Amino acid sequence: MKYMMFVITDSQPDTETDESDVDLWVDELDASGKRLIGEVLAPQTESRVVRVRDGKRYVTDGPFTETTEVICGFDILDVDDLDEAIEIASRHPMARNGQLELRPFMVWE
């Protein structure tokens, strides 16, 4: 199963921050083939929202929602099941410094 793992900041990290090197997590998962790709995203000040309404295109800066939590990166995992994805995510430093959202890819019939 493939999962998108969103790496998200958090205004309330664990009381003991995790100073471990994320590259160690990346290297282990890349070597095992469980991590297909991952990237750090540019700040949300560089993002744009695009939508079309009544045939007209609208492009706005943002999104600028009222939140202290921001998606700052992602990884795509290829694992056996949700339990394995959870175990992998729990070893990521941002599991303690921020939060991780796991979302399965849609399976099309």
Side-chain angles (χ1 to χ4, degrees):
M1 294 186 72
K2 288 184 184 172
Y3 283 86
M4 172 74 81
M5 185 178 79
F6 294 100
V7 180
I8 306 168
T9 62
D10 194 327
S11 61
Q12 296 179 338
D14 194 10
T15 53
E16 294 185 34
T17 58
D18 187 340
E19 298 295 329
S20 60
D21 187 349
V22 72
D23 289 334
L24 297 174
W25 181 89
V26 167
D27 292 346
E28 175 188 340
L29 290 172
D30 283 357
S32 71
K34 298 292 181 178
R35 178 180 174 270
L36 302 180
I37 188 173
E39 293 292 337
V40 176
L41 300 174
Q44 76 187 117
T45 55
E46 296 184 35
S47 66
R48 301 296 177 267
V49 175
V50 178
R51 61 181 165 248
V52 175
R53 299 293 183 269
D54 295 322
K56 186 173 178 183
R57 183 181 67 190
Y58 296 90
V59 180
T60 56
D61 294 345
F64 296 109
T65 57
E66 293 294 325
T67 182
T68 57
E69 300 164 353
V70 177
I71 297 173
C72 59
F74 72 92
D75 294 278
I76 296 178
L77 307 176
D78 189 5
V79 295
D80 294 331
D81 53 30
L82 176 59
D83 289 336
E84 184 178 19
I86 291 170
E87 191 277 324
I88 288 170
S90 68
R91 294 194 327 252
H92 193 290
M94 283 299 282
R96 286 161 293 288
N97 298 336
Q99 56 186 318
L100 302 162
E101 176 185 340
L102 294 167
R103 191 175 304 178
F105 280 43
M106 185 69 139
V107 178
W108 299 97
E109 299 299 322

